[in-house]
Amino acid sequence: DTSMQTAVKFFSFMAQIAWFSRPELLPFICLRIAKITMENGLCKHSLVGFVQFAFVLCQGKALSLSNVQVGCKIGEIAMSMLDHFDYSEIKTSVVQIYSYVQQH
Protein backbone atom coordinates (compact mmCIF):
# COMPACT_ATOMS: atom_id res chain seq x y z
CA ASP A 1 0.00 0.00 0.00
CA THR A 2 1.59 3.24 -1.14
CA SER A 3 -0.16 5.43 1.41
CA MET A 4 1.23 3.25 4.22
CA GLN A 5 4.72 3.40 2.75
CA THR A 6 4.43 7.17 2.41
CA ALA A 7 3.30 7.47 6.04
CA VAL A 8 6.16 5.30 7.32
CA LYS A 9 8.65 7.22 5.17
CA PHE A 10 7.28 10.51 6.53
CA PHE A 11 7.57 9.32 10.14
CA SER A 12 11.09 7.98 9.56
CA PHE A 13 12.14 11.43 8.31
CA MET A 14 10.38 13.00 11.28
CA ALA A 15 12.34 10.69 13.58
CA GLN A 16 15.62 11.79 12.02
CA ILE A 17 14.70 15.42 12.62
CA ALA A 18 13.51 14.70 16.17
CA TRP A 19 16.78 12.90 16.91
CA PHE A 20 18.59 16.25 16.74
CA SER A 21 15.92 18.79 17.63
CA ARG A 22 13.42 17.10 19.99
CA PRO A 23 14.79 13.71 21.11
CA GLU A 24 11.97 13.30 23.64
CA LEU A 25 9.60 12.81 20.66
CA LEU A 26 11.67 10.01 19.13
CA PRO A 27 10.06 7.11 21.06
CA PHE A 28 6.57 8.22 20.07
CA ILE A 29 7.48 8.58 16.40
CA CYS A 30 9.23 5.20 16.34
CA LEU A 31 6.27 3.51 18.01
CA ARG A 32 3.99 5.08 15.42
CA ILE A 33 6.15 3.53 12.69
CA ALA A 34 5.91 0.16 14.46
CA LYS A 35 2.11 0.47 14.77
CA ILE A 36 1.67 1.31 11.09
CA THR A 37 3.99 -1.57 10.15
CA MET A 38 2.15 -4.07 12.35
CA GLU A 39 -1.18 -3.04 10.85
CA ASN A 40 -0.09 -2.92 7.20
CA GLY A 41 3.10 -4.94 6.79
CA LEU A 42 6.79 -4.24 6.42
CA CYS A 43 8.27 -1.67 4.06
CA LYS A 44 11.86 -0.54 3.75
CA HIS A 45 11.35 2.58 5.86
CA SER A 46 10.05 0.43 8.71
CA LEU A 47 13.63 -0.68 9.29
CA VAL A 48 14.73 2.90 9.89
CA GLY A 49 12.07 3.24 12.57
CA PHE A 50 13.04 -0.08 14.16
CA VAL A 51 16.71 0.78 14.42
CA GLN A 52 15.87 4.25 15.71
CA PHE A 53 13.75 2.68 18.44
CA ALA A 54 16.64 0.33 19.24
CA PHE A 55 18.76 3.44 19.73
CA VAL A 56 16.12 4.91 22.06
CA LEU A 57 16.11 1.73 24.14
CA CYS A 58 19.90 1.68 24.40
CA GLN A 59 20.30 5.39 25.12
CA GLY A 60 16.95 6.18 26.73
CA LYS A 61 18.04 6.69 30.34
CA ALA A 62 16.76 10.26 30.37
CA LEU A 63 13.40 9.04 29.07
CA SER A 64 13.16 6.09 31.48
CA LEU A 65 13.15 3.71 28.52
CA SER A 66 16.56 2.14 28.92
CA ASN A 67 16.63 -1.53 27.98
CA VAL A 68 19.94 -2.24 26.28
CA GLN A 69 19.37 -5.96 25.75
CA VAL A 70 16.05 -5.46 23.93
CA GLY A 71 17.44 -2.48 22.00
CA CYS A 72 20.40 -4.50 20.74
CA LYS A 73 18.10 -7.36 19.69
CA ILE A 74 15.79 -5.01 17.76
CA GLY A 75 18.84 -3.46 16.07
CA GLU A 76 20.15 -6.91 15.11
CA ILE A 77 16.78 -7.87 13.65
CA ALA A 78 16.65 -4.66 11.59
CA MET A 79 20.17 -5.34 10.30
CA SER A 80 19.31 -8.93 9.38
CA MET A 81 16.21 -7.77 7.48
CA LEU A 82 18.40 -5.27 5.66
CA ASP A 83 20.53 -8.20 4.47
CA HIS A 84 17.52 -10.21 3.27
CA PHE A 85 15.89 -7.49 1.19
CA ASP A 86 17.24 -5.11 -1.44
CA TYR A 87 16.90 -1.93 0.57
CA SER A 88 19.99 -0.14 -0.75
CA GLU A 89 18.16 3.21 -0.58
CA ILE A 90 18.08 3.12 3.23
CA LYS A 91 21.07 0.91 3.98
CA THR A 92 23.41 3.79 4.89
CA SER A 93 20.90 5.30 7.33
CA VAL A 94 20.16 1.97 9.02
CA VAL A 95 23.84 1.05 9.34
CA GLN A 96 24.75 4.49 10.69
CA ILE A 97 22.00 4.44 13.32
CA TYR A 98 22.85 0.85 14.24
CA SER A 99 26.45 1.90 14.87
CA TYR A 100 25.11 4.25 17.56
CA VAL A 101 23.12 1.35 19.04
CA GLN A 102 26.28 -0.71 19.32
CA GLN A 103 28.03 2.09 21.23
CA HIS A 104 25.61 1.76 24.16
Side-chain angles (χ1 to χ4, degrees), residues 19-20 51 79 91-101:
W19 183 324
F20 296 105
V51 79
M79 290 299 291
K91 186 172 186 170
T92 303
S93 294
V94 172
V95 170
Q96 181 181 15
I97 298 165
Y98 183 67
S99 72
Y100 293 122
V101 170

Side-chain angles (χ1 to χ4, degrees), residues 81-99:
M81 284 193 281
L82 191 63
D83 291 337
H84 288 285
F85 300 101
D86 182 25
Y87 290 157
S88 56
E89 178 185 335
I90 61 154
K91 186 172 186 170
T92 303
S93 294
V94 172
V95 170
Q96 181 181 15
I97 298 165
Y98 183 67
S99 72

Side-chain angles (χ1 to χ4, degrees), residues 22-39:
R22 301 275 312 266
E24 68 274 10
L25 296 178
L26 193 55
F28 301 105
I29 296 169
C30 293
L31 289 174
R32 181 59 139 173
I33 292 170
K35 182 179 186 277
I36 294 169
T37 300
M38 296 302 284
E39 291 172 348

